[in-house]
Amino acid sequence: MSDTAVLEIVELADGEIVLRSAEGEGEPLVRIRFSEEAAELLRRARFEVAQEMIDHALSRSHLVEGDEEEAQASPATLH
């Protein structure tokens, strides 16, 4: 049995983008909802933007195994 969780990023019918267990069970781990204005500006790219946001958050956290020193050495960019 593996300790690795299989996660997926999906867009729900209401436009919300979530990170959840691949089995689809339980509450999503992350929810991203763009305002109507942002959704209009991003149009079809909103899924890719949400995917990049989640990927960046995971790569800077302890949820993904990796080089801790590298993550700490990279300064965070605030927009």
Side-chain angles (χ1 to χ4, degrees):
M1 180 152 216
S2 174
D3 287 340
T4 304
V6 178
L7 304 174
E8 63 181 356
I9 301 171
V10 296
E11 184 171 1
L12 304 178
D14 65 358
E16 187 174 59
I17 298 168
V18 299
L19 173 68
R20 67 182 184 190
S21 167
E23 288 85 34
E25 297 175 0
E27 193 70 20
L29 300 169
V30 173
R31 295 175 183 268
I32 297 175
R33 180 180 298 275
F34 293 104
S35 69
E36 287 184 33
E37 182 180 0
E40 178 63 30
L41 289 170
L42 293 171
R43 298 182 189 213
R44 294 177 189 246
R46 72 181 185 280
F47 184 83
E48 288 80 16
V49 169
Q51 191 173 15
E52 287 294 323
M53 292 167 66
I54 292 169
D55 182 55
H56 183 74
L58 289 174
S59 68
R60 296 197 42 90
S61 74
H62 298 289
L63 296 175
V64 178
E65 291 182 20
D67 188 0
E68 235 179 86
E69 291 177 17
E70 182 180 323
Q72 291 175 354
S74 302
T77 302
L78 182 61
H79 296 277

